[in-house]
Amino acid sequence: MDTVRRIGWFYFIGFMAVVAIGYVPAFHDADGNLFGLFKLDLYDDSLHAFSGLWAGVAAWWSYGATRTYFRLFGPLYFADGVMGLFLGSGYLDGGIFLYGPIQQSLYAHVFANLPHLLIGGYAIWVGYRLAARAPTAVA
């Protein structure tokens, strides 16, 4: 299996883990915030589950489907992180439309959106740099 598809499977597993972790009480503080930073709701869980399922189906389907996943998903997710960083709400989960800009501490803004920036940025790199080369199998 080539490297791009392996990374697609990793995204699938990662997003499914994010959804599962949201239902483990040990990761919530007294106010119900995950890791003490933010609340995840049905919209967030749906976004994460869809992102993971999309990655998994693409990785299972073909190299080209996985490359397309990263090329579409990466910019969308990265832009959502940028919006969340500055406004406290993103657009992919509908947060900006449901709640408007949210005033949080800088700490919460950065750490709540840093995963989106890193995951989206890495997906952009995979889709446009790594996948631009011929597929290489990994033993």
Side-chain angles (χ1 to χ4, degrees), residues 18-41 45:
V18 167
V19 173
I21 285 170
Y23 294 95
V24 177
F27 295 114
H28 294 269
D29 66 8
D31 295 325
N33 292 323
L34 188 62
F35 302 118
L37 294 172
F38 47 81
K39 291 185 188 323
L40 292 177
D41 57 20
D45 286 341

Side-chain angles (χ1 to χ4, degrees), residues 15 25 38 44 68 72 78 82 84 101 108 110 112-113 122 131:
F15 278 115
F38 47 81
D44 296 310
T68 299
L72 294 174
F78 185 83
V82 170
V110 170
N113 292 288
Y122 186 66

Side-chain angles (χ1 to χ4, degrees), residues 101-134:
I102 296 175
Q103 297 301 317
Q104 297 172 313
S105 68
L106 180 61
Y107 173 82
H109 273 277
V110 170
F111 285 102
N113 292 288
L114 188 60
H116 288 229
L117 297 170
L118 295 174
I119 291 166
Y122 186 66
I124 291 169
W125 180 81
V126 170
Y128 288 99
R129 296 290 297 188
L130 183 64
R133 303 179 214 148

Side-chain angles (χ1 to χ4, degrees), residues 36-138:
L37 294 172
F38 47 81
K39 291 185 188 323
L40 292 177
D41 57 20
L42 180 61
Y43 300 110
D44 296 310
D45 286 341
S46 298
L47 170 65
H48 292 136
F50 174 77
S51 298
L53 289 172
W54 183 17
V57 169
W60 170 78
W61 193 266
S62 69
Y63 176 84
T66 311
R67 181 185 59 217
T68 299
Y69 165 78
F70 285 118
R71 288 182 175 182
L72 294 174
F73 169 82
L76 289 171
Y77 213 67
F78 185 83
D80 187 65
V82 170
M83 184 177 216
L85 185 64
F86 290 104
L87 300 177
S89 292
Y91 63 89
L92 287 176
D93 65 352
I96 195 68
F97 308 110
L98 296 170
Y99 314 116
I102 296 175
Q103 297 301 317
Q104 297 172 313
S105 68
L106 180 61
Y107 173 82
H109 273 277
V110 170
F111 285 102
N113 292 288
L114 188 60
H116 288 229
L117 297 170
L118 295 174
I119 291 166
Y122 186 66
I124 291 169
W125 180 81
V126 170
Y128 288 99
R129 296 290 297 188
L130 183 64
R133 303 179 214 148
T136 55
V138 177

